[in-house]
Amino acid sequence: MKYWPLLWSNIRRKKLRTIFTLFAVTAAFALFGLLAAMQHGMNGVMQIASAERIQTNAKLGAMPISYGPKISSVQGVTAVTWFNGFRGYYQDEKNTFQVVATYPQGFLAVYPEVRLGEQARKAWFDDKPGAIAGTLIARRYGWKVGQRIPVQSQNVTKEDGTKTWYVTLDGIYNTDLPDRYKNFVMIHYQYFNDSVARNKDFVGQYIERIDDPRQAAQISQRIDDTFATSFPQTRTASEVAETQTFIREFGNIGFITLVVGAAVFFSMLLVTVNTMSQSVRERTSELAVLKALGFGRGTVSGLVLAEAVGITVIGGALGLVVAWQLARAIYKSVQQILPALGIPPLAVVLGVVLMILFGLVAGALPLRQVFRLRAADALRRA
Amino acid sequence: MSANTATLTVPQPVPDPALVELEGVTKTYRRGGETVEVLQALDLTVPEGDFLALMGPSGSGKTTLMNLLGGIDRPSGGTITIGGTRIDNLGEAALTKWRARHVGFIFQLYHLLPVLSAERNVELPLLLTRFSRGERKRRALAALKLVGLSDRAGHKPTELSGGQEQRVGIARAIVTDPTILLCDEPTGDLDRKAGDEILDLLRALNEEHGKTIIMVTHDPHAAARAKRTLHMDKGRLVVQPQH
């Protein structure tokens, strides 16, 4: 700490240059963080996908609820659930979350990743105005099991003209899926459907669990064949296949963004490293004075490297904070397609390692020059 | 050897104890394909408490000799003993430690760090000690007081005159109470008045505080303030002809 005044004075020596350097490092690591978040989001899509699940969508519009029993009777399908719902909020319009209307028994059968106690399961199954909520949303609003919760819709209206569904919290579920999945409120489709004003008896999507993932394509075909002469026709595919299609379509853009972003990241850092090296080179004679005063190689190196690493770590940390905020903002728009979007801890660790590494390189390059130069020569040149 | 100089064997008897002893010191550089002999078999003894001026034309080897005495350069041959320590064969780290403890440098161009206040500049050598911040501050302020700059402790070098900058340089050189002060043209960048003040200060440090000082200078007026003067030419100590 006794060297801090010296370090701090050097950092403030050319304030504008330091600010621009910090800004460049911040921008570079904000980009790094965003790229990491996007990459994590893309990877997350595949991890969430289950080979034992297939999904049925309408080729046009929504599907009638009457498709449900027919799908469940298709050979190879072991469980079916369906989704409808709305964007809801609690007390204040800022407190938004996704309300999913589903068939409870089917939902828990199709999604074994969702963990819910036996007592809560039974309570929810038997309670039409009942609901379950993810751990995160329950914690955020302080909900307790048994609490009556007014869930308000942003757009969907009830037959009586109101937009509030009163539900009783029967249980709080947990899951290893990304956090987004812990922010849902799941309600009975029947309860929702009984009172919704429009699109009654229609669902947005069916999700099926199948007995043999190797038969996913054939089972999907059987489902689509069932509705070949119906309106709307369906398009069924395994979650993995759907995800792969998504990755192919979206992933190409993602890959290009990743490559361009990485190139920009390294370019910015190289420019920054050069600027920082230049700032040290300008002080060669001062470093020689320190050597003449008795500062050893280790101490002089430590001062130069600490200054460089300090700038990259401060700038880099700010960059990751910016990236985190940006990722949070972007997540709100893309959570349906990239539910795992977010900066993973491993990326933060890698980021810190890169910050330190670039700082060391920025300081080490001019240090070589400082050590090649004898103090006597440097003092004479000054 | 030039026509008006002769090889010097030390011109007057030197009182004991000897603080600085150079025996057969040589220094050569390679410049292009040529070897340049900057110092030639130089013998020199400086007693403790001496104030020695080294004069000579540019390129005579004065600054090289100072750098060797200060341990920021190494001789090509011969031995250098200061305060009983052979410094010519010390390793890099040991030499750096020795320098921090025993040598105070005063440079022609002051070489203060522009980003630090006068007090922080003076404190620099103390950063290498185990003193607390409070003790470092106390010593730095005492050194500044000694050079008459108590009221400028918070000023940065750019806010000081040349003479004041050199005083800060002197305070920095003496703050660790070194064995020897090495001054390289300490008044070379100052006007006569400021230069005289610096020379008065060096004289006081020598006479009142017993500091051993070796000063390189071109200026006979400055050299006259030293206790004795030696002349160098072409890497040798020479007898200056009497006029």
Side-chain angles (χ1 to χ4, degrees), chain A residues 173-235:
Chain A
Y173 70 85
N174 204 348
T175 176
D176 295 328
L177 292 172
D179 284 354
R180 173 193 170 222
Y181 293 90
K182 298 170 192 167
N183 278 312
F184 291 150
V185 172
M186 313 294 299
I187 65 173
H188 278 250
Y189 174 82
Q190 204 58 53
Y191 176 57
F192 168 76
N193 194 53
D194 283 352
S195 52
V196 72
R198 299 179 59 193
N199 293 327
K200 209 180 261 290
D201 296 328
F202 277 86
V203 301
Q205 189 178 46
Y206 287 97
I207 308 287
E208 302 88 7
R209 192 161 186 85
I210 55 177
D211 55 1
D212 184 357
R214 290 168 300 179
Q215 299 293 316
Q218 291 88 328
I219 298 170
S220 297
Q221 190 59 53
R222 270 180 230 138
I223 292 172
D224 291 342
D225 288 348
T226 306
F227 306 108
T229 56
S230 307
F231 183 84
Q233 291 181 326
T234 59
R235 189 174 60 82

Side-chain angles (χ1 to χ4, degrees), chain A residues 368-379:
Chain A
R368 283 176 59 233
Q369 187 184 341
V370 171
F371 286 135
R372 270 205 303 266
L373 194 65
R374 295 175 323 132
D377 293 335
L379 291 171

Side-chain angles (χ1 to χ4, degrees), chain A residues 12-46:
Chain A
R12 293 191 312 164
R13 174 185 297 254
K14 289 191 177 171
K15 291 191 184 76
L16 197 61
R17 177 159 71 183
T18 303
I19 288 168
F20 278 133
T21 307
L22 266 176
F23 182 76
V25 177
T26 300
F29 276 92
L31 184 61
F32 168 83
L34 270 181
L35 292 174
M38 202 179 85
Q39 185 68 22
H40 189 249
M42 302 287 286
N43 292 341
V45 172
M46 274 310 286

